[in-house]
Amino acid sequence: MKTLNNYTKGIIRENPVLVLVLGTCPTLATSTSVLNALGMGLAATVVLLFSNILISALRKVIPDKVRIPCYIVLIAGLVTAVQMLVKAYAPALNDSLGIYLPLIVVNCIILGRAEMFASKNNIFDSAVDALGMGTGFTLALFLMATLREVFGNGSFCGMPIPVLTDNKISILTMAPGGFFVFGLLMAMMNKWAKHKPQKKDFGCEGCPQASVCSKAACAASDTKENGKEEVK
């Protein structure tokens, strides 16, 4: 269950784009085309996976005072390797992504997961967290790109859609359209999240006075509640 929760949190509860609002620049810039969005999402996921693994493996070796520069050096090396592979095997994708491919180095998602998770957890959990965050990032890009390309360009993955080709909403392929779709998806995510039942913790761990309480009041309250339940 812990492994599953580590994976799914990046897709739903802590989606890096629609919930944490990270990586907004590449999201808006590369989501005009489904192929570009998938390419960016895959590249970022690969970098995130290997950076989390390396940083988790070296977390006890890297001095705390210079951890951020060390993380950036590791991430930059991985991004360079990914960019070279994309240039070699997918030059058209490299041209489409442009400057946003090397800018994965400064993507807040990559550095944020390195600092908040990989530097404090083991290799396996860090890898699962990276895959979850990468999947959430890719799905958010895919949803945005699908809406923008289908209705803004009348095509999907470069293939024209007969009816929509002649009825394009061109503004969706521009910056204002990108912000509109981005806001729409965020609103839908927030609306859905508000209707999810939230589990409330009434135990001592969730009480702000737990540090100064003798727990006697809590025990008495629990006894009273249990008595009421038995009567019912």
Side-chain angles (χ1 to χ4, degrees):
M1 285 298 294
K2 180 182 177 182
T3 301
L4 182 62
N5 288 333
N6 281 342
Y7 179 76
T8 57
K9 71 180 180 182
I11 302 175
I12 303 173
R13 300 192 311 274
E14 298 180 15
N15 186 284
V17 176
L18 301 178
V19 177
L20 302 181
V21 198
L22 300 175
T24 305
C25 289
T27 299
L28 293 172
T30 62
S31 60
T32 55
S33 165
V34 172
L35 293 178
N36 288 351
L38 292 176
M40 173 57 74
L42 181 60
T45 301
V46 171
V47 173
L48 182 57
L49 174 62
F50 284 99
S51 65
N52 267 22
I53 290 174
L54 289 174
I55 289 169
S56 177
L58 298 173
R59 69 185 188 278
K60 296 181 180 179
V61 178
I62 298 175
D64 188 62
K65 291 183 179 181
V66 294
R67 67 185 187 282
I68 299 300
C70 291
Y71 296 166
I72 293 174
V73 170
L74 286 172
I75 295 169
L78 291 169
V79 171
T80 302
V82 169
Q83 186 178 15
M84 291 174 68
L85 289 172
V86 172
K87 280 185 177 180
Y89 295 102
L93 177 62
N94 179 73
D95 294 338
S96 298
L97 295 178
I99 190 62
Y100 293 100
L101 185 57
L103 282 179
I104 292 177
V105 175
V106 292
N107 193 316
C108 297
I109 302 171
I110 312 292
L111 189 58
R113 298 322 294 175
E115 173 68 12
M116 296 300 297
F117 197 91
S119 62
K120 302 172 184 177
N121 292 274
N122 60 48
I123 295 175
F124 178 76
D125 289 341
S126 298
V128 172
D129 176 78
L131 289 175
M133 286 290 168
T135 303
F137 180 60
T138 304
L139 285 176
L141 282 174
F142 176 76
L143 288 174
M144 283 193 64
T146 299
L147 291 174
R148 295 181 70 186
E149 184 178 357
V150 169
F151 295 103
N153 202 37
S155 63
F156 181 78
C157 291
M159 298 180 292
I161 301 174
V163 177
L164 296 177
T165 303
D166 300 325
N167 299 279
K168 297 184 290 187
I169 308 175
S170 301
I171 194 172
L172 291 179
T173 61
M174 305 176 187
F179 278 105
F180 173 76
V181 174
F182 186 41
L184 180 65
L185 290 177
M186 287 183 64
M188 292 173 62
M189 176 67 78
N190 289 331
K191 184 73 174 178
W192 176 76
K194 286 181 180 179
H195 283 82
K196 287 186 64 180
Q198 296 183 357
K199 182 179 179 181
K200 294 184 179 180
D201 184 9
F202 293 101
C204 292
E205 292 80 5
C207 178
Q209 301 296 325
S211 59
V212 296
C213 177
S214 62
K215 299 186 180 181
C218 294
S221 176
D222 289 342
T223 303
K224 186 182 295 184
E225 290 295 330
N226 292 334
K228 289 182 180 179
E229 291 180 0
E230 290 177 1
V231 171
K232 290 181 181 179

